Amino acid sequence: MPDYDGREAPTSVGEALLWGPRVLLYPLYLVSEYVLRRPLGWLVSTAEREHWPTLIINFFTFGERQGGIVPTWLIDYGLRPSFGVYAFWNDFLVADNDLRLRVAYGGTDLWQARLTDRFPVGSGTLSLTGLYDARPDNVYYGLGPNQEDAGSRYYRRQTRAFAVLQLPWVRSSGLRFGLGVREVELDGSVRCCGDPSLDEQVQAGAYPLPPGMDQVFGVFDQAVELVLDSRWPLLPENLELASDYVSPPRTGVRWALRADLAELTGQSLAIREGLAGAWLHYGTSLGGYWDVTGQQRTLGLTAIVDFVDPLGSGAVPLTDLVTLGGERPLQGYLANRLFGRSSAALRLEYRWPVAVWLDGELLYEMGNVFGAGLSGFELGQLRSSFGFGLSAVGQQDHRFQLLLALGISPYEAGAQVDSLRFVLGTTAGF
């Protein structure tokens, strides 16, 4: 360190720029510091002193901690809550072969099951996955940016098998290939959660029947994604496996380019019902990240666009349209709340460490869904989403998440709060 003759070191540019956000976000800082960080710090210190982690891990794991069974739950306000189990078995049958299972139940007609077998192939990783996902509480408000206030529910069942090959490259860059087949059932006659069914709203003239509704169809798809990320992964000292890398927290740029080609199987009946024989889903995202203090306090700005186009005549089914909400941008809305032929979104985020295994996040997002090729795009039709959340550090198979977010209607419609989303629980990361 330089000799400052007893004086304090000068304030860096990053530390100076932090004062503005600190003043504006002081109320959230108080919540983070005194409601979250300090109680969590006390809890972690007490847990370490009393050896709670060892007791809990020993209770839920077996075979020298190579396998285990852990309870799961998920509350996503506006959807049915669910509970279940997550199970893992490392080195299943042979070395480096990892098995993952998650099963959840949320009442009548809500079942979810996901099984993945993951093993190394050369320098990459191959995952084989089978899943079953059925739920009657999916929301629908129409297509396009100006969706109706006439909300409805519908039943969706998906049975899918797919394989994914991930090939790492320099730093955090990589290439991903996917191949899969699925069967989808959509039923708009099912009522749920005190809301009318989709078919009832269609009969009332709220909106036309969406493509693929009240049908069963099969889809074969193949996907590819290229990610160029200049950031170095951070490997904490207590982690030994490359698969345990923490998400890159440092300064850098990330660009992703993706495409997914899908086509119907057993086409004749579905095409007679108005669906296209095939369609192409493609998109890109570009983000810049700045670790303001060099201590994993990262400011990020990402632009995201997605498109889907039918190949030939017919329409793209509802399940394969571009969506926003849920884990996608505009997290203040439920998953698949917004449907369209294209979407554009901008995400501003600030992440900081709350505990050793927990990150805090502030989010502001704006965007919307539009017609083909962003047709109808206007600034006045953009929606917004504000959110505060906590999530487990890094990419994990059993991922904890807490999120409180608001969805804001389009600016030309008054920019009013029209959605509140609260999420608490664990989700599958495999």
Side-chain angles (χ1 to χ4, degrees):
M1 293 290 293
D3 185 4
Y4 292 102
D5 297 327
R7 296 170 294 170
E8 294 184 359
T11 303
S12 68
V13 175
E15 291 173 338
L17 292 176
L18 277 178
W19 279 106
R22 281 173 176 166
V23 173
L24 293 174
L25 302 176
Y26 188 69
L28 291 176
Y29 164 78
L30 292 178
V31 173
S32 172
E33 181 71 12
Y34 295 100
V35 179
L36 298 174
R37 194 187 70 83
R38 295 201 177 193
L40 283 173
W42 172 85
L43 181 63
V44 170
S45 299
T46 304
E48 290 180 348
R49 182 173 61 254
E50 301 296 333
H51 305 290
W52 291 355
T54 301
L55 295 175
I56 294 174
I57 291 174
N58 289 338
F59 181 80
F60 287 111
T61 61
F62 55 83
E64 297 182 356
R65 300 181 181 177
Q66 285 186 305
I69 302 176
V70 181
T72 69
W73 81 98
L74 180 63
I75 299 171
D76 195 341
Y77 181 73
L79 300 176
R80 283 187 183 177
S82 62
F83 62 92
V85 294
Y86 160 72
F88 68 95
W89 192 341
N90 296 327
D91 298 330
F92 176 67
L93 299 181
V94 296
D96 298 325
N97 184 63
D98 298 335
L99 203 63
R100 299 291 185 265
L101 171 68
R102 188 177 189 273
V103 178
Y105 172 72
T108 305
D109 294 330
L110 200 164
W111 286 96
Q112 295 174 315
R114 187 183 186 104
L115 176 65
T116 293
D117 188 17
R118 187 172 57 210
F119 49 90
V121 175
S123 61
T125 302
L126 179 64
S127 300
L128 304 177
T129 300
L131 68 83
Y132 177 84
D133 186 354
R135 58 187 314 145
D137 56 349
N138 303 277
V139 295
Y140 184 75
Y141 286 77
L143 301 179
N146 299 313
Q147 298 185 0
E148 303 292 338
D149 294 329
S152 63
R153 304 277 179 161
Y154 66 95
Y155 172 82
R156 184 197 66 211
R157 174 188 60 81
Q158 177 177 235
T159 305
R160 186 182 182 199
F162 62 96
V164 175
L165 176 62
Q166 294 183 325
L167 301 174
W169 197 32
V170 294
R171 301 196 179 185
S172 296
S173 302
L175 191 61
R176 180 180 66 89
F177 297 96
L179 192 68
V181 61
R182 54 192 158 101
E183 182 184 78
V184 180
E185 177 186 359
L186 297 177
D187 187 349
S189 66
V190 176
R191 303 190 67 181
C192 180
C193 315
D195 294 330
S197 69
L198 188 150
D199 285 352
E200 289 174 332
Q201 293 287 38
V202 170
Q203 293 172 4
Y207 30 69
L209 190 71
M213 187 56 60
D214 298 325
Q215 296 185 45
V216 178
F217 53 92
V219 178
F220 171 74
D221 56 61
Q222 43 198 321
V224 61
E225 181 180 31
L226 171 66
V227 175
L228 301 178
D229 195 331
S230 67
R231 298 171 294 173
W232 288 99
L234 177 65
L235 184 62
E237 294 180 355
N238 61 330
L239 299 179
E240 299 177 355
L241 302 177
S243 60
D244 291 326
Y245 275 135
V246 174
S247 300
R250 302 296 182 182
T251 300
V253 177
R254 183 183 189 275
W255 176 61
L257 181 65
R258 53 195 171 273
D260 185 349
L261 176 62
E263 59 181 320
L264 291 178
T265 60
Q267 297 182 15
S268 58
L269 175 60
I271 291 178
R272 288 201 301 269
E273 297 294 336
L275 295 183
W279 53 90
L280 179 65
H281 192 297
Y282 54 100
T284 186
S285 61
L286 178 63
Y289 303 87
W290 178 30
D291 190 347
V292 180
T293 64
Q295 299 176 342
Q296 301 178 43
R297 299 177 181 271
T298 308
L299 189 66
L301 180 65
T302 305
I304 307 165
V305 291
D306 281 286
F307 308 87
V308 62
D309 294 321
L311 303 179
S313 60
V316 178
L318 181 67
T319 51
D320 285 68
L321 291 174
V322 174
T323 67
L324 292 178
E327 296 299 310
R328 295 268 298 151
L330 297 186
Q331 296 185 50
Y333 292 93
L334 291 173
N336 302 325
R337 167 64 173 79
L338 303 166
F339 285 99
R341 283 280 304 277
S342 63
S343 71
L346 191 66
R347 171 185 292 167
L348 178 64
E349 59 183 320
Y350 176 63
R351 298 183 65 93
W352 72 99
V354 174
V356 174
W357 47 272
L358 198 65
D359 276 353
E361 183 176 29
L362 288 175
L363 283 173
Y364 171 72
E365 301 167 308
M366 66 176 180
N368 210 338
V369 293
F370 301 96
L374 296 179
S375 63
F377 178 89
E378 294 181 6
L379 292 179
Q381 291 185 335
L382 296 180
R383 298 173 181 264
S384 297
S385 177
F386 301 85
F388 165 74
L390 297 172
S391 61
V393 173
Q395 300 295 326
Q396 300 186 357
D397 294 326
H398 183 56
R399 182 171 174 265
F400 170 78
Q401 182 184 22
L402 182 150
L403 175 70
L404 179 62
L406 299 175
I408 311 298
S409 63
Y411 299 119
E412 64 181 17
Q416 303 294 319
V417 175
D418 64 352
S419 175
L420 169 65
R421 185 161 177 251
F422 173 72
V423 180
L424 176 63
T426 54
T427 57
F430 57 91

